[in-house]
Amino acid sequence: MDRHSTPPPAPRAHWTPAKQRIFLAALLDSGSVAHAARAAGMSRSSAHRLRARLAGTPFDRVWGQALAEHARRLADPFADPVETRRADGEKQARP
């Protein structure tokens, strides 16, 4: 390499389907986008960019559901983890 050439750019990390699954699971557990992104080996800002790019997709919807479920668990830590809520807010048992 001569003195005037620049080194090639470092390879960029990409959001693979596996990283998306890791992120969403960690988001459900932690409620923290920063923590979940680190768990997936990505940055918080790249996670937000991905969500914006995938607005309206299952990834976007599950992100919102994960945060809502995490908040529900914090609000009632002794609730039955098998119990879920219908869209109208009524409780129902999971099959």
Side-chain angles (χ1 to χ4, degrees), residues 21-36:
R21 286 189 296 275
I22 292 167
F23 172 84
L24 292 170
L27 186 61
L28 176 62
D29 288 340
S30 70
S32 165
V33 173
H35 174 82

Side-chain angles (χ1 to χ4, degrees), residues 1-7:
M1 185 154 94
D2 69 290
R3 295 184 321 186
H4 300 289
S5 43
T6 58

Side-chain angles (χ1 to χ4, degrees), residues 18-92:
K19 285 183 180 184
Q20 291 177 30
R21 286 189 296 275
I22 292 167
F23 172 84
L24 292 170
L27 186 61
L28 176 62
D29 288 340
S30 70
S32 165
V33 173
H35 174 82
R38 280 192 306 271
M42 303 298 284
S43 70
R44 178 186 56 81
S45 60
S46 72
H48 284 290
R49 282 192 305 271
L50 178 68
R51 186 179 192 195
R53 193 168 62 247
L54 298 179
T57 66
F59 177 83
D60 178 38
R61 288 190 295 275
V62 172
W63 177 316
Q65 291 168 352
L67 289 176
E69 176 64 15
H70 180 78
R72 187 191 68 77
R73 289 178 185 177
L74 287 178
D76 191 359
F78 301 108
D80 183 355
V82 176
E83 193 175 82
T84 188
R85 295 188 182 272
R86 297 188 318 221
D88 62 4
E90 290 295 314
K91 295 178 181 178
Q92 71 182 40

